[in-house]
Structures are given as structure tokens and as C-alpha cells.
Amino acid sequence: MCIVLLPFASTAFYGYKIYHEDIATTFEDIIHAQHRVLLPLERVQDIFWDISDEINDYAQEGGAGHIVSFEASAKAVQTQLSEMSLAIADNNHYEHILHGVKMHWEQVLKAAPGVMEGKPTAVDTKLQIFERELSKAGQQLGQLAEELRSESEEAHRTTLNAIKKFEAIALLAAILAIGLAVLTIYLVDRVLMSSTDKLVEGAMRVASGDREQEIDIQVPPELASVAKAFNTMTRQIVLQEAKLQSAARLDGLTGLKNRREFDLRVADKIAATRKKAGTTVLLLIDVDHFKRFNDSHGHLAGDDALRHVAMVLAAAARETDEVFRYGGEEFALLLSDIRQDQILQAAERIRREVEKTHILLPNGEYDTITVSIGAAEFTDGLSFNDIVGQADKALYQAKASGRDKVILAKS
């Protein structure tokens, strides 16, 4: 009996060794490394959005507040890059990517002081260099994230190879066991092989891009631990990807959908209009005398005011409507499924909602703020530029005729 059981004892020992060295340790190292690198990487990508907004706002509007915010964000980037350097100290093959990020970041820092203040119509070479280098740094951060994903996939392949080795040892033990061979093969097939197949199947699903279904393994405990570690890592990857996608769609200051999302949704609405799928109206909304407000109360108060207006617009919108930050102190609303006789009424309601609210200032006092609105209806045959141009022209008329009013573009 001892001789018969010896192959199984040896197999168990060797199988645990493979699990511990080639599977569990590999996954633990990968998860730990990705946790240390991905967190600062994500923070740097988020800060890049804020830095781009600050410099572009500075180039559009001027003001020392944007410079102060830029300097604070730049310090935060330096801190996160230092953390990433420490995190990849044991992974030399990542150093060249991080070195590239740092080189482009140095060019961003050199270009930023030369950006012209408040000259949106001038050709600003420094601003172009700033945006190009910031974009390149962001691309290299994306490359680093892709490298981490590839390393994760390599860990999956290592696990599959380790499992195959274990299968070979188990098969040899079954042949040598003679009397217990049939029983051993049966138990391995019903317990171990079933769990192994689940792990292999789960790894292949992740490799093919399906990350929704988790691997459910209860026995044996070793593979259950591997499955748990695998599921944890997969959830973390999905979470990081979701955060990156969300950051690309939303405005960092107000939390509304950004200009990129606006362009996509307007294109969709134009296509729907051609198919006669309901009436849509575009409202372009501009905060009245916003520069004066900033000059009087400071840019931080100005940011609070923009967030306040965004909150009011979001609350006033219907479930079928969509709210965007168009840029600077301008917002946009897409009103869906609305009758022509309701357009001015809906726009006026939104204007009054903003007008009747009060904004808390840094000195503890309250101030009011108003908006001017230009409205344009989506009609068949109009292009993106036509619709936005009509709404913009109506907005200009509203501002030129005294502000705090609504103008509907003529069809």
C-alpha cells in the first residue's frame, strides 16, 4: 500500500511545488506589481486632463488662477512619477517607457511658461508644443498599461504550462499505482481535472476579451486559491479600464459629459432626424458676465459657479435630455422628443432655474448669476456645423440684446 501510495505522495508534493512557485507566486507578484504601478499611472492620466484644461483655459481666458492650478497639478505628476519609478525598480523592461514619459513631461514643463495668456485667436507655438508633448506622454502611459496587460497574459500562459506539467505527473502516478490506477484516474478526472478545465477555460475567456464571468472553483483548495486570485486580478483590470473610459467621457470640473461626447451625440441626433425619429433641439447656454464674476470673486469662486450652474442644468433637465459642458463658461443641452411650441417654454424654464439660485461666495456672501440661451431645432438636411452655428448665432443675439434671455434660431 505504501509503495502504491508513494507515487501519489510524490505527485502531491511536486504538484504543490508547481502551484506555489509557478502559479500562486506568479499571480501574487503580478497583482502586487500592477497595483503599485496602475494606481499612480491612473492618477497621472487624470491629472493630465486637468493640466490640459488649465493651460487651455489660461490660453483662452488668462488669469493667475490657472497657473496656480497648473503648478499644483505639475507637482502631483512629479510625485506620481516618482512612485511609478519605485514601483518598476524591479522591472527594467518598463524603465524605457517611463523614461519616455518623463522626457515628454519635461518638454511640457518647458513649454507651459511660454503659453500666451488669454489669446485664443493667436497662433501659439508653445501651446501647440505643450499639447503635443502632453499627448505623447499620455500615449506612453497607455503603452505602459498595455505592457502590464501583456505581462498579465504571460502569467496566464505560465499557469497553463504549470497545470500541464502537473497533469503529466498525475498521469505517471496513475500508471505506476496499478491497483489504484483506475480509482485515481476517476477521482482526478472528477475533481482535479474538472477544476483544471474550469481554470483553463476561464483563462482562455479572459485572453479572448470576455471578463464578465468569474471562474467558480471550490475544490481542490489550491486551484480554488488560484481561481480567486485570478478573479481578483480580472476585476481590478476591468475596474481600471472602466475608470479610464469614464474619465475620457466626462468633464473634470463639472462632472458633465464633455465636448467629445457632445460631438458624438449631436451626430447621432442628426442621423435620427434623417430617419424621422423624433424632434430634437440644441440649447447653447453661456454664463453672463463670467469674466467679471471671476475678476470680482476669484477663479476658485468661478469654478464653484460653473459647478453650480452644471448642477442646476442637470437637475432641470428631463430624463430624456442630455447636458454637456461645451467649453469655458458655455454649456449645451440636447432636448429630445419636444414639440415646437414647447421649445421656448423649456428654455425659459431652464433660464429661470439658474436665475433664481444663489451662489455662496468665499467671503460668506451670496450672489446671483444668469445665463443667455440660443436654441436651434434639428431639421432634416442640416449638418453638424449648421445646427451648432444656428444655436451659436441665436446665443450671440441673446447676449447682444441684453443677456439673461432666450433666442430661438429661425429655421
Side-chain angles (χ1 to χ4, degrees):
M1 180 63 70
C2 292
I3 294 175
V4 171
L5 294 178
L6 181 60
F8 294 99
S10 301
T11 301
F13 174 78
Y14 188 67
Y16 180 79
K17 184 174 181 295
I18 291 176
Y19 155 74
H20 182 72
E21 295 181 357
D22 295 339
I23 300 178
T25 301
T26 299
F27 273 113
E28 289 172 1
D29 291 344
I30 291 298
I31 292 172
H32 182 64
Q34 289 195 343
H35 179 76
R36 292 185 62 200
V37 175
L38 282 176
L39 286 181
L41 186 149
E42 181 193 15
R43 290 170 185 155
V44 171
Q45 288 178 321
D46 289 343
I47 296 171
F48 276 3
W49 283 99
D50 296 336
I51 286 176
S52 179
D53 288 342
E54 291 297 341
I55 289 299
N56 278 279
D57 288 346
Y58 176 76
Q60 291 285 330
E61 307 168 3
H66 296 300
I67 297 301
V68 172
S69 297
F70 170 79
E71 291 174 350
S73 298
K75 290 180 181 179
V77 169
Q78 292 296 135
T79 300
Q80 299 304 323
L81 289 178
S82 297
E83 289 188 11
M84 290 174 63
S85 296
L86 294 175
I88 68 172
D90 297 330
N91 294 274
N92 295 331
H93 55 287
Y94 291 149
E95 288 185 356
H96 72 283
I97 300 178
L98 187 57
H99 177 70
V101 173
K102 290 180 178 178
M103 279 198 340
H104 291 302
W105 174 244
E106 289 175 0
Q107 295 301 319
V108 169
L109 294 178
K110 291 179 180 179
V115 174
M116 292 186 290
E117 178 180 3
K119 294 184 178 180
T121 60
V123 177
D124 191 343
T125 303
K126 290 293 185 180
L127 180 59
Q128 294 174 349
I129 294 174
F130 171 87
E131 292 179 337
R132 183 182 67 244
E133 295 299 327
L134 189 63
S135 175
K136 289 181 178 179
Q139 291 172 0
Q140 294 224 313
L141 286 175
Q143 181 184 351
L144 179 55
E146 181 64 21
E147 291 280 350
L148 290 171
R149 186 188 66 79
S150 298
E151 188 175 274
S152 174
E153 292 179 352
E154 180 62 29
H156 301 162
R157 288 190 288 271
T158 300
T159 300
L160 295 179
N161 291 334
I163 291 172
K164 289 178 180 179
K165 290 180 182 179
F166 185 71
E167 290 174 351
I169 297 300
L171 180 60
L172 178 60
I175 294 174
L176 297 176
I178 305 176
L180 295 177
V182 175
L183 180 59
T184 300
I185 292 173
Y186 175 79
L187 293 177
V188 169
D189 182 67
R190 293 296 301 272
V191 179
L192 180 59
M193 295 300 293
S194 176
S195 298
T196 300
D197 288 343
K198 287 183 181 180
L199 184 60
V200 173
E201 181 185 353
M204 296 303 295
R205 283 200 308 269
V206 172
S208 65
D210 181 7
R211 299 170 184 168
E212 297 298 326
Q213 185 176 351
E214 292 189 349
I215 301 174
D216 183 18
I217 295 178
Q218 303 298 326
V219 290
E222 293 82 4
L223 288 182
S225 297
V226 174
K228 183 178 180 181
F230 189 93
N231 291 335
T232 300
M233 184 185 66
T234 302
R235 286 195 296 270
Q236 202 167 27
I237 291 174
V238 171
L239 180 61
Q240 298 295 340
E241 289 178 346
K243 288 182 178 179
L244 290 175
Q245 292 174 358
S246 177
R249 297 177 59 249
L250 302 180
D251 173 58
L253 177 65
T254 63
L256 299 178
K257 296 177 182 178
N258 59 20
R259 174 62 184 272
R260 178 186 177 190
E261 282 296 301
F262 171 80
D263 292 347
L264 293 174
R265 293 299 297 134
V266 170
D268 291 342
K269 292 297 184 181
I270 290 174
T273 300
R274 291 174 182 154
K275 297 178 182 178
K276 307 297 183 182
T279 301
T280 302
V281 174
L282 168 63
L283 302 183
L284 281 185
I285 304 169
D286 186 87
V287 179
D288 295 329
H289 301 296
F290 185 69
K291 185 178 185 303
R292 184 191 304 171
F293 186 94
N294 267 347
D295 294 340
S296 299
H297 306 299
H299 288 282
L300 292 179
D303 289 345
D304 288 340
L306 291 177
R307 282 190 286 265
H308 179 84
V309 172
M311 180 181 65
V312 173
L313 295 179
R318 302 170 303 170
E319 291 185 1
T320 56
D321 299 336
E322 297 178 81
V323 189
F324 307 84
R325 186 183 180 191
Y326 189 73
E329 66 270 23
E330 291 191 17
F331 298 85
L333 260 74
L334 288 177
L335 306 179
S336 301
D337 299 325
I338 186 170
R339 299 198 310 268
Q340 288 184 334
D341 60 345
Q342 295 177 327
I343 296 175
L344 284 176
Q345 180 182 358
E348 279 290 342
R349 178 177 60 82
I350 291 172
R351 183 194 63 79
R352 289 194 300 271
E353 288 295 325
V354 176
E355 182 183 40
K356 70 183 182 181
T357 61
H358 294 80
I359 300 173
L360 179 63
L361 301 176
N363 61 7
E365 298 179 355
Y366 287 89
D367 197 358
T368 58
I369 201 165
T370 62
V371 295
S372 300
I373 303 177
E377 181 182 353
F378 284 60
T379 56
D380 190 17
L382 292 183
S383 66
F384 177 95
N385 291 337
D386 294 334
I387 294 170
V388 175
Q390 286 185 5
D392 192 56
K393 184 177 180 181
L395 174 61
Y396 177 80
Q397 293 174 355
K399 293 172 70 67
S401 59
R403 293 183 170 83
D404 191 21
K405 60 179 58 180
V406 177
I407 297 293
L408 175 63
K410 297 180 180 179
S411 303

